Amino acid sequence: MPSGTIISFKNFRKEYKDLTAVKGLDLDIKKGEFFGLLGPNGAGKTTTISALVGLVKLTSGSITVKGHDSVKDYKKVHALIGLAPQEENLDFWFLNVREILVYHAGYFGIPQKEAGKKADDLLKMMDLWEKRSSKVMELSGGMKRRLLLARAMMHGPEIIVMDEPTAGADVELRRKLWKYIKLLNREGKTIILTTHYLEEAETLCDRVAIMNKGEIVAMGTPEELKENTKIKGMAAGKGRLEDVYMNLIREEES
Amino acid sequence: MLSTGFYTLLKREVVRYMKSPWMTIVPPLINAVLYMIIFGVAVGPRLGDVNGFGYIQFMLAGLVMMTAIINAYNNPAFSLFQARWHGNIADVLTSPMSYFEILMANVIAGMFRGILTGLLILVPAVALAGMPVASVFWTLFFLLLVCFAFSCLGVITGLWASDWDGANNLLTFVITPLAYLGGVFYSIDMVKGIPLLYQLTLLNPITYMVNGLRYGLLGMSEVDLMFGTALIAIMSIGLFAVCLRLFSTGWNLKK
Ligand SMILES: Nc1ncnc2c1ncn2[C@@H]1O[C@H](COP(=O)(O)OP(=O)(O)OP(=O)(O)O)[C@@H](O)[C@H]1O
Ligand SMILES: [Mg+2]
């Protein structure tokens, strides 16, 4: 059960040259929570996540993880988070699939032997065992995505951040993946997920935030959102999360 | 600084070039052998002695330094640029490694490549061709210090470059010409009467680096050694300070 705040965004703002990608975001995520960050393309989801892991400089505001400031105490914060990014960024230059995982764990301070064992477990888990000696170039799109997820879990982080992990994943993998993530979540890991599959978010997430144009336009449990959003021609609480979402985004545009 | 993360990244940066020696280690050696055949064996004897040493010995010291410089520079320049270009730099940036550790792993890996290629030319020359080593200390001192400076310059280029040409341009248009005009193939004495070339040679920091190594190997110096050493040391500190600053502010590393 989620309890206590683990991640806290305070008035986080990000400007790229002449574009404001995130406009003063306030968000608390609870420890052990399965949190969904939803919103259309360009809403600012990836920017928000990237700021959390130190890949984006904050224009203003702050982010704390377990009370550590994400800028000043970046080392402590980084150790707590595993990231599966939206864009494939595997270190393909000369490493094979297994080496990618072992080196990654090394950067997080895990000795090679221990990392090797963990890599083997995750490769089997993600159905990549046969490909362990392959080069990234020889993997299919979905396999690369699985490898990104395995990499995020290599150092056993308390917080797992997944930016559209199921884009391009086949049905079987998607099911398997959710089973595994749910298990991790039940063990107490905090999960942050962005996805464009709203049914997925509806069934998985304890709480979701819907972002649009750099702002959170609605936040709550999927049930709360359905209760509180008036959708034309539908009784309160009867629609799907997708209807709520479309309603909110369309409202913004009009 | 001696964390598992640091060692892992250092290993990555070293394995990166050790895994493809035909692209990284062998070409500079082929170049060196060709230079030695053409200038050392074919042309050199006609030039007679340079400050009491055979031309081939005089030139070899320069060649070792030029090779070390280019290789120490190339490694971080291309490795960092590639990692930024593809995005896998995020692997280390999101890790608990400090920026100092990330920087040092890159710098040391570059130094190692520079020194390795330099020694791959020098050691056979000493073992097989009677190349003298006047002082092991000064030889290693200048190799280390110069490789440090150029590895730092490589780091700066690796962060600055926005495309593949950018990563290459500094090498093609600045470092290589400076190396050729840095007394690798000629002594300062030889160009004394030639306007411009003489002044360019004396203004060129690489002249003092090559001279330093010649001092270590042959025990001869054409310029003030103290001045040269101070110049290289100041350059190294300056370049390293820039690297530290760029890494701590996340210049071109973070969006
Ligand atoms: N490096 C950058 N430079 C300039 N603008 C950027 C940069 N990265 C993102 N943006 C802009 O910031 C805004 C938010 O982008 P972001 O990637 O956070 O969106 P997103 O919600 O993740 O979208 P998607 O669902 O498409 O992944 C967009 O308008 C995008 O064009
Ligand atoms: Mg995104």
Side-chain angles (χ1 to χ4, degrees), chain A residues 40-47 49 86-87 163-164 194 196:
Chain A
N41 294 140
K45 304 179 297 292
T46 299
T47 302
I49 284 170
Q86 179 175 7
E87 305 274 348
D163 202 349
E164 300 195 27
T194 82
H196 290 290

Side-chain angles (χ1 to χ4, degrees), chain A residues 36-101:
Chain A
L37 201 52
L38 312 178
N41 294 140
K45 304 179 297 292
T46 299
T47 302
T48 302
I49 284 170
S50 304
L52 172 67
V53 296
L55 293 174
V56 153
K57 294 184 204 170
L58 317 190
T59 304
S60 65
S62 69
I63 307 170
T64 50
V65 180
K66 275 192 147 183
H68 305 299
D69 184 83
S70 72
V71 178
K72 260 192 283 158
D73 289 330
Y74 68 93
K75 287 191 267 179
K76 283 185 186 137
V77 169
H78 290 181
L80 292 166
I81 306 175
L83 169 73
Q86 179 175 7
E87 305 274 348
E88 184 264 295
N89 65 351
L90 296 159
D91 189 356
F92 74 93
W93 299 98
F94 56 92
L95 301 177
N96 68 29
V97 164
R98 190 173 179 278
E99 287 166 337
I100 285 173
L101 297 181

Side-chain angles (χ1 to χ4, degrees), chain B:
Chain B
M1 160 149 179
L2 305 171
S3 68
T4 304
F6 168 78
Y7 282 122
T8 308
L9 182 57
L10 179 60
K11 182 173 152 195
R12 181 204 182 264
E13 296 306 318
V14 173
V15 169
R16 194 186 75 91
Y17 57 81
M18 292 302 240
K19 262 201 179 167
S20 46
W22 290 101
M23 285 169 67
T24 54
I25 308 289
V26 176
L29 298 185
I30 292 175
N31 259 338
V33 170
L34 287 173
Y35 278 126
M36 271 190 300
I37 293 171
I38 295 165
F39 291 106
V41 181
V43 182
R46 295 169 185 244
L47 296 174
D49 280 7
V50 185
N51 302 354
F53 292 93
Y55 179 75
I56 190 163
Q57 293 180 332
F58 176 85
M59 184 203 69
L60 195 102
L63 209 52
V64 168
M65 193 48 111
M66 181 164 88
T67 308
I69 283 174
I70 289 171
N71 279 278
Y73 166 83
N74 265 349
N75 206 62
F78 283 91
S79 185
L80 273 173
F81 169 69
Q82 285 175 351
R84 279 176 49 231
W85 179 77
H86 177 64
N88 58 287
I89 189 92
D91 235 13
V92 289
L93 291 180
T94 58
S95 82
M97 250 186 279
S98 72
Y99 297 126
F100 185 69
E101 288 175 315
I102 300 174
L103 168 62
M104 287 316 290
N106 276 285
V107 171
I108 293 172
M111 286 173 73
F112 181 64
R113 174 160 154 194
I115 291 164
L116 178 74
T117 44
L119 289 182
L120 281 174
I121 300 168
L122 183 59
V123 171
V126 173
L128 308 173
M131 176 78 184
V133 181
S135 158
V136 175
F137 174 81
W138 288 114
T139 300
L140 291 180
F141 173 84
F142 281 109
L143 266 179
L144 273 164
L145 191 61
V146 170
C147 284
F148 174 75
F150 275 90
S151 193
C152 288
L153 187 61
V155 166
I156 296 168
T157 312
L159 293 184
W160 160 79
S162 54
D163 53 28
W164 290 92
D165 289 341
N168 227 337
N169 282 349
L170 196 75
L171 182 68
T172 314
F173 296 112
V174 181
I175 297 176
T176 309
L178 277 182
Y180 280 106
L181 296 176
V184 170
F185 298 103
Y186 57 82
S187 71
I188 296 175
D189 223 29
M190 288 180 189
V191 295
K192 216 158 214 161
I194 308 170
L196 210 60
L197 183 56
Y198 177 67
Q199 280 80 5
L200 273 178
T201 305
L202 284 184
L203 281 172
N204 180 350
I206 292 182
T207 303
Y208 301 89
M209 300 172 178
V210 169
N211 184 76
L213 189 66
R214 270 197 192 116
Y215 176 74
L217 291 172
L218 309 176
M220 61 170 264
S221 178
E222 293 187 286
V223 291
D224 189 276
L225 199 66
M226 279 297 286
F227 172 77
T229 311
L231 181 79
I232 303 167
I234 291 168
M235 258 185 70
S236 304
I237 293 167
L239 288 166
F240 186 61
V242 172
C243 288
L244 273 176
R245 173 99 188 120
L246 296 182
F247 260 82
S248 63
T249 55
W251 186 68
N252 283 356
L253 286 168
K254 297 179 179 193
K255 286 184 196 163

